[in-house]
Structures are given as structure tokens and as C-alpha cells.
Amino acid sequence: MSLELPLFIDYLKEQKNASSSTVDSYQRDLRRLESYLADCGVEEVQNVTATTLNSYILYLEKQGLSTATVSRSVSSMKAFFHFVYRKHKIEDDPTEEIKAPHIDKKMPGILSIEETERLLAQPSGDSPKELRDRAMLELLYATGMRVSELVSLTVDAVCLNLNYVLCRDGGKERVIPFGDQAKNAVLRYQREGREALLKGASSDLLFVNCSGKPMSRQGFWKVLKSYAAKAGISSDITPQTIRHSFAAHMLQNGAPVKSVQEMLGHSDISTTQAYLNLGLDNAQRVYHASHPRG
């Protein structure tokens, strides 16, 4: 594998435009497989068999790795050997009949629209920090972007004239529209809060911390937790909760699944369709809790 693995990684970067986190994940999984095969005396990809790979899967399970981790490792393995097969490095794909362990999908939690409104209303002051926090929360809920995308936004990635943001993930880009509430919050933060936080420093990033340095995901997570507590939201809440809520609320209000898929950046539409069930489940909970004959 030592010869083929670098070729596969270059393929992911240059032809698939995979994000750096995706490339790192593949590389980590396949390096672990390479080490296992070497311990078994298998150095060449031509000598890898389905039996060997099934033994590797059992080995991962015995190591106590989660089903999700094992499943991801199998996906990495299958992608690699499919690539090697297409490049005519091997005569048969040893992963063709290998199945990843089944994962019971846990449906993500979402906020109700009323809870979301309470959360967004919390940073109501005029301090630079609260102006920033309000802008971040509004933009996160308005676009459904990932928190990593939010904290890495540059000033020029947000077009306030046309109400859209350009999200970049590795070599991929997508344009997400947003409404006037988010626009006004970002505009006010830029006019009245950002320079105060920068304290004379310069930065291409839109959002900075109170020291004028880049916001971290962990830093924003703490900000979100504090406002959730102030809003009286008892359920566990993360930036991903806001992303899930954006998707579910959009679909509940009639947005086409394909459009929401594009805004979220999902490669598989089935991932987006799962939010349709979230909307139904939430509606049923509200009904049974509120209707006199529920």
C-alpha cells in the first residue's frame, strides 16, 4: 500500500476536491489498515484478500472502536481499493462483498421556532461582544452553515448588498442566501462592534474574539451555551443543533429538499430528507402536549 496510498490521497485532493478534514480521515483510516497488513506480512495490494480485510474489521471491533468508527474505516477501505482497481493495479476488488456494520442513526435534536426566537433574542445589548454574538447567532440560523465555516468566514465572503454568504470547505464552495434579520445584525456588528474587538489590529476574518484574534469553535460553543441557559433552554444545545433546526424549520415551511440540501452542503440527499421526519416528530410532540384530546 505504500506506493498506492499517496496516489489515492493526491486523487482525493486534486480530482475530488475533498476537504482537508476528509483527506485526514481517509489517511488516518488507511494508515491504520496499512500497519495491520504489514503485521500480517502483507505488503503489496495485490496480496490483499477479502478474508484479510474481514479479519481487520474483526480486529477493529475487538479494539473496542465504535460502530461508526468501524463503518467509516470500511468506507475508506472500499474507496481506496476501488480506486486501485480502476487504476488496474489489482485484478479484483477485495472489498466488493464487504459490508460495513449497520449504524442506527440517531436523529439530531432541534429547537422549536419559539425556542429559537428566545435564543436569538438573548444578546440584546450594545456592547461589541453582544453585537458580535447576535450577528453570529443570526447568521448561523439564517444559513445553516457549519460552525467551522462560521468562525472562518472572511469579511469579503459576506455580501450584504445581495444577502448571501460564500461558504468554503476545502476546494468546494456554495452560496447561501440569508434574510434581513441576519443582514441587519451583521451590518451593525461591522459598523459598531468589530473595530472595537480588533483593538487596532487587522484581520480578514469577520468574527474575532474579545482579544481581536480568531474565534474558535470551542469559544463559540461556550457563547452559545451561555445564551441557551439565559433563554431557559434545558436541552443540550450545540452549534450543530442550530444547523439541524435551520434544516427542519425550512422543510416544515415548504422549502424543497433539493434546495435545503444545496444550502447545507450535503452530498447525499437522504441526509437532508431525514429532517422531514424531525419536523413530523416535533409537530406530534407539540400536538400531544397541547391538544385537549391529544
Side-chain angles (χ1 to χ4, degrees), residues 81-248:
F81 280 101
H82 184 59
F83 167 80
V84 174
Y85 174 71
R86 286 191 291 106
K87 292 295 182 181
H88 306 292
K89 302 288 186 180
I90 54 178
E91 293 184 6
D92 298 295
D93 183 352
T95 66
E96 190 171 357
E97 300 298 327
I98 288 178
K99 305 292 185 184
H102 177 72
I103 301 174
D104 291 326
K105 287 190 176 181
K106 182 181 178 182
M107 296 302 290
I110 64 167
L111 300 177
S112 68
I113 293 177
E114 188 272 334
E115 286 175 323
T116 304
E117 294 289 349
R118 290 207 321 264
L119 175 67
L120 297 180
Q122 293 311 306
S124 57
D126 298 326
S127 70
K129 178 184 180 300
E130 286 184 285
L131 293 177
R132 179 205 65 194
D133 295 346
R134 180 66 180 263
M136 293 187 82
L137 288 174
E138 287 282 1
L139 196 58
L140 185 65
Y141 177 62
T143 62
M145 70 175 69
R146 300 175 180 89
V147 66
S148 57
E149 295 169 332
L150 179 71
V151 298
S152 62
L153 273 181
T154 56
V155 174
D156 62 2
V158 182
C159 181
L160 293 175
N161 291 332
L162 299 176
N163 287 42
Y164 74 81
V165 60
L166 179 64
C167 279
R168 301 181 178 94
D169 181 22
K172 299 178 181 178
E173 293 184 347
R174 69 186 191 282
V175 173
I176 313 174
F178 55 79
D180 286 340
Q181 298 253 37
K183 172 183 178 176
N184 293 336
V186 173
L187 187 60
R188 190 176 177 205
Y189 160 67
Q190 286 188 309
R191 287 176 174 172
E192 303 175 29
R194 185 169 177 271
E195 290 301 319
L197 293 177
L198 282 170
K199 297 179 174 63
S202 61
S203 176
D204 292 333
L205 294 174
L206 177 59
F207 298 114
V208 295
N209 64 22
C210 292
S211 300
K213 296 180 180 179
M215 281 282 291
S216 67
R217 290 180 297 174
Q218 294 81 2
F220 179 70
W221 182 83
K222 291 179 181 177
V223 167
L224 179 60
K225 283 279 192 182
S226 68
Y227 287 126
K230 289 180 181 178
I233 299 172
S234 57
S235 58
D236 189 35
I237 184 171
T238 69
Q240 193 75 349
T241 308
I242 310 301
R243 178 171 161 85
H244 295 324
S245 301
F246 159 84

Side-chain angles (χ1 to χ4, degrees), residues 16-86:
K16 299 295 286 184
N17 289 323
S19 67
S20 57
S21 60
T22 298
V23 172
D24 289 344
S25 179
Y26 273 110
Q27 197 157 16
R28 184 169 54 251
D29 291 341
L30 293 170
R31 289 295 182 195
R32 181 161 49 193
L33 171 61
E34 182 182 32
S35 176
Y36 174 85
L37 292 174
D39 290 342
C40 295
V42 180
E43 301 284 349
E44 307 293 334
V45 289
Q46 294 86 351
N47 298 327
V48 177
T49 65
T51 301
T52 308
L53 295 179
N54 276 316
S55 297
Y56 175 64
I57 295 170
L58 290 173
Y59 164 78
L60 293 179
E61 292 172 343
K62 288 179 180 177
Q63 294 297 306
L65 299 178
S66 68
T67 303
T69 300
V70 175
S71 181
R72 191 199 65 213
S73 296
V74 172
S75 295
S76 299
M77 176 198 306
K78 290 173 80 71
F80 170 73
F81 280 101
H82 184 59
F83 167 80
V84 174
Y85 174 71
R86 286 191 291 106

